[in-house]
Amino acid sequence: MLDSIIKKQGLWHVIIVLGMLLAAFGVSARVVYVHVVQSDFLKREGERHYKRNIPQYAYRGSVLDRTGKELAISAPSVSIWADPSDLLEDIDGLMGLSKLLKEDFYTLKRRAEKLRHQDFMYIKRQVEPARAASIESASRGMVSIINERKRLYPESNVFSHIVGVTDIDGRGVEGVELAFDAHLQGSDGEISVIRDRLGRSFEVIDTPKEKVDGSDVVLSVDRNIQYIGYSELRAALSRHDAASGMLIVLDVKRGKVLSMVNYPAYNPNDRSAAEMRNIRNRAVTDIFEPGSSIKPFIVAAAMESTALRPTDRIDVSPGYISLAGKKIKDSRNYKNLDVAGVLAKSSNVGIVKIASMIDDAVLADKLRDYGLFSSSGVELPGEATGLFASQPEWGGTYKGFLSFGYGAALSALQLANGYMVLANNGVRKDISILNDDSTVSGVRVMSAEVAANVLDMLQGVVDVDGTGSAAGTAAYKVAGKTGTAKKLKDGVYQDDAYLAVFTGIAPVADPEIVIAVVIDDPKKNGFYGGQVAAPVFSKVASRVLRYLDVKPDIEKIASIEPGVADQ
């Protein structure tokens, strides 16, 4: 049959027909291959050039003070991004882009090569919108713009240590921003967009993941009280040429932080010039030997565990006592003091003798129970737990040195928390920085009678003859204790470097606030706690109580108007 066809049609005609049939079969096979075998590959390649998945950043919640004032907010910002593979496919364009950005070409190229298997790469973060638009327009479609948010801190330095900061990606790295990061952050989402031939996104085609915005955090701190503390602490450091300082104001009844100040501070909106030592919240993270500010708790422990009473007499002659071969002195020979006088005159000899009445293990337990060397419960990160030798390691003289504040260390917050026990009639509460409605019942760690007796004796400290007379106020009766401690350097206590402390309670009749003031290394106009820290307490207590509209103890000045914040 084939022979007859060839004879009739001719050999070349047959070859042409067969060729056409084979070509048709090849085209059909290619169509089947493209549409069936390679369809997924081609789809991916098309999407790679025209579809992009873009992150959608969740709105980070704000941080507010107890009155609703904004302490941390998120403002709109613009960032520039690109597909790394697009950059590497157009080296001339990449070089032009590097010039637009004023960045090194090879650095930009290495970044793109490192991320070449991804379809998203940041080119520049948080750019001024007009400049970002100019770069996008001049880049010939190589880059695109994405809307983000930048963290701003309206109160700047004043709240820097409490609120903390975020990194450029909006993750908390210090303070409340870190402690409540998950609550503030929310959950980022993602959208899919189609781009035109110039690389510009013009249509959202899918939302693979919805974003969930973060929630606000409302703090117990008060902006006005924070400004009062900040201004008075800064002024004191200037007056005494001191290295640094800390100040804490606590709400006695609610167990809340009203103010927490560290100075020097830093600008959280521009951390480029900030020193690391000024970024941490030293009132929470740093510990120090408290000096005589620990003495009220030695007296309380003795009154709870022995028959000691406020009127008992203590022989403090001849004005010094020997401990481990060291002469521990009073400011002068007071000869004979009652227990209240030991606190009022801050007698080292007297407190060493009172401490000797207490069993070592009992004293160790009592001091921890009072909250001096224990966590305060505050929700801020990095709280120090204090440094306190375990009782079996005390030895023969440790208790004596401990009684006037050496050989153990705590934070300013823990010191304030101990005085909260006295202010709360012997009940210890966890400290919180959140402005919630939770009521903390607390745990009784000191008898009400002993707490009242110690608080009464601490009024004598601020009397005209006490070491803390400068802490007194014209309008309110207050109580507290001075502390002065030599600083330790390279294992040696320095004779020209001190820590000045005053911690107090106001007003005594119905305590509203506890204030702790710690000033590091005052160089002029005195160095004792009574000279340096006590006046700060007086000014802050007076202004804060007026601001809180607390009725003065002295009726003749009841017309004083509530104070206002310093700006």
Side-chain angles (χ1 to χ4, degrees):
M1 180 178 178
L2 181 62
D3 291 342
S4 62
I5 293 173
I6 292 173
K7 287 178 181 178
K8 292 180 179 179
Q9 302 295 332
L11 178 61
W12 287 109
H13 183 79
V14 172
I15 291 174
I16 290 170
V17 170
L18 289 175
M20 293 175 63
L21 289 173
L22 288 173
F25 177 78
V27 170
S28 299
R30 178 62 180 170
V31 169
V32 172
Y33 179 75
V34 168
H35 285 279
V36 178
V37 180
Q38 277 200 316
S39 63
D40 288 343
F41 171 77
L42 293 174
K43 182 180 179 182
R44 287 195 302 269
E45 282 296 293
E47 289 181 347
R48 188 177 74 82
H49 286 284
Y50 295 104
K51 176 184 172 184
R52 290 291 182 270
N53 288 337
I54 308 299
Q56 293 292 288
Y57 294 103
Y59 177 83
R60 187 174 179 86
S62 298
V63 179
L64 312 171
D65 86 335
R66 69 177 191 160
T67 69
K69 296 291 191 302
E70 293 175 331
L71 307 179
I73 58 175
S74 293
S77 178
V78 171
S79 291
I80 302 171
W81 69 277
D83 185 324
S85 59
D86 288 350
L87 299 181
L88 296 173
E89 287 174 1
D90 185 357
I91 295 300
D92 290 340
L94 180 59
M95 185 168 291
L97 179 63
S98 70
K99 292 178 181 178
L100 283 173
L101 297 169
K102 297 180 181 179
E103 290 191 11
D104 179 66
F105 165 75
Y106 294 102
T107 301
L108 192 59
K109 183 172 179 286
R110 282 193 295 270
R111 284 178 55 208
E113 288 171 341
K114 186 177 180 180
L115 299 172
R116 67 187 312 152
H117 298 299
Q118 301 181 23
D119 59 6
F120 183 91
M121 165 185 160
Y122 277 115
I123 299 298
K124 205 168 188 64
R125 303 292 298 276
Q126 297 180 354
V127 183
E128 194 275 323
R131 181 165 183 253
S134 174
I135 292 173
E136 180 187 35
S137 175
S139 71
R140 297 183 301 164
M142 294 189 72
V143 301
S144 299
I145 288 176
I146 183 173
N147 292 320
E148 295 186 303
R149 293 187 182 273
K150 181 179 181 180
R151 204 62 164 167
L152 297 177
Y153 301 93
E155 302 301 334
S156 191
N157 303 44
V158 179
F159 277 90
S160 57
H161 295 100
I162 294 176
V163 176
V165 291
T166 63
D167 62 16
I168 197 169
D169 292 314
R171 293 185 291 263
V173 294
E174 292 284 348
V176 167
E177 295 276 33
L178 172 59
F180 298 96
D181 187 54
H183 186 81
L184 291 162
Q185 180 108 330
S187 177
D188 292 339
E190 192 176 64
I191 59 172
S192 297
V193 301
I194 292 178
R195 303 195 306 172
D196 63 16
R197 61 185 181 84
L198 296 178
R200 296 172 300 195
S201 301
F202 69 89
E203 183 182 354
V204 177
I205 60 172
D206 192 14
T207 306
K209 183 181 178 182
E210 292 279 358
K211 71 180 179 70
V212 178
D213 289 335
S215 302
D216 294 344
V217 171
V218 183
L219 304 182
S220 60
V221 295
D222 187 297
R223 175 182 176 274
N224 284 348
I225 297 176
Q226 184 77 358
Y227 268 94
I228 290 170
Y230 187 88
S231 64
E232 294 294 355
L233 185 65
R234 180 177 59 184
L237 264 62
S238 176
R239 184 164 54 250
H240 296 283
D241 192 22
S244 64
M246 300 171 275
L247 186 146
I248 297 172
V249 183
L250 300 179
D251 180 333
V252 169
K253 294 178 172 59
R254 299 177 64 222
K256 302 291 186 178
V257 177
L258 293 176
S259 173
M260 184 178 288
V261 180
N262 296 269
Y263 197 88
Y266 68 98
N267 182 358
N269 297 302
D270 180 10
R271 304 192 295 277
S272 59
E275 297 182 41
M276 284 304 300
R277 62 181 179 177
N278 292 333
I279 291 179
R280 68 180 185 273
N281 187 349
R282 296 183 298 277
V284 173
T285 64
D286 288 15
I287 58 176
F288 56 90
E289 291 177 302
S292 295
S293 55
I294 200 175
K295 289 177 179 176
F297 303 99
I298 303 298
V299 170
M303 292 180 66
E304 287 205 289
S305 60
T306 72
L308 186 73
R309 293 296 174 260
T311 55
D312 289 352
R313 309 297 298 186
I314 308 293
D315 180 7
V316 296
S317 294
Y320 61 86
I321 193 170
S322 180
L323 280 178
K326 299 181 181 297
K327 184 183 286 188
I328 307 303
K329 299 184 293 183
D330 287 341
S331 58
R332 67 179 179 85
N333 182 9
Y334 293 109
K335 296 181 181 179
N336 190 281
L337 295 169
D338 61 14
V339 176
V342 169
L343 290 178
K345 302 300 184 183
S346 200
S347 170
N348 291 330
V349 177
I351 204 68
V352 168
K353 290 189 173 184
I354 290 173
S356 69
M357 304 175 187
I358 314 169
D359 177 79
D360 290 1
V362 170
L363 180 57
D365 289 342
K366 290 289 185 186
L367 293 178
R368 289 194 183 92
D369 288 345
Y370 299 158
L372 294 172
F373 302 98
S374 306
S375 171
S376 69
V378 75
E379 302 90 349
L380 294 172
E383 182 182 11
T385 55
L387 184 63
F388 185 58
S390 60
Q391 184 271 318
E393 299 173 357
W394 279 20
T397 59
Y398 180 80
K399 183 167 61 176
F401 288 108
L402 174 65
S403 69
F404 53 92
Y406 285 89
L410 41 59
S411 69
L413 182 59
Q414 288 162 356
L415 182 61
N417 197 24
Y419 279 77
M420 285 281 282
V421 172
L422 300 175
N424 273 313
N425 210 27
V427 174
R428 176 182 168 189
K429 299 179 179 180
D430 280 348
I431 303 301
S432 174
I433 201 164
L434 292 178
N435 191 45
D436 52 31
D437 296 326
S438 62
T439 301
V440 181
S441 58
V443 178
R444 178 163 296 284
V445 296
M446 184 187 297
S447 74
E449 180 184 5
V450 168
N453 282 331
V454 173
L455 187 58
D456 183 62
M457 286 187 280
L458 289 180
Q459 290 186 76
V461 175
V462 300
D463 283 347
V464 65
D465 294 327
T467 60
S469 58
T473 72
Y476 304 95
K477 293 180 180 178
V478 302
K481 184 70 188 75
T482 55
T484 307
K486 290 184 176 182
K487 294 188 66 175
L488 190 66
K489 182 178 180 181
D490 299 328
V492 178
Y493 285 102
Q494 305 298 299
D495 291 329
D496 60 351
Y498 295 87
L499 207 67
V501 182
F502 188 90
T503 313
I505 299 162
V508 171
D510 185 15
E512 293 282 347
I513 54 175
V514 164
I515 302 175
V517 182
V518 182
I519 297 183
D520 182 20
D521 201 14
K523 291 296 187 185
K524 64 182 183 182
N525 299 320
F527 60 84
Y528 289 111
Q531 297 171 309
V532 178
V536 180
F537 170 89
S538 173
K539 293 172 183 177
V540 173
S542 296
R543 295 178 65 184
V544 169
L545 290 174
R546 292 199 302 269
Y547 168 72
L548 294 174
D549 204 20
V550 176
K551 183 180 179 181
D553 293 319
I554 302 172
E555 294 297 334
K556 68 180 181 180
I557 60 171
S559 61
I560 294 177
E561 295 182 359
V564 295
D566 291 322
Q567 299 302 313

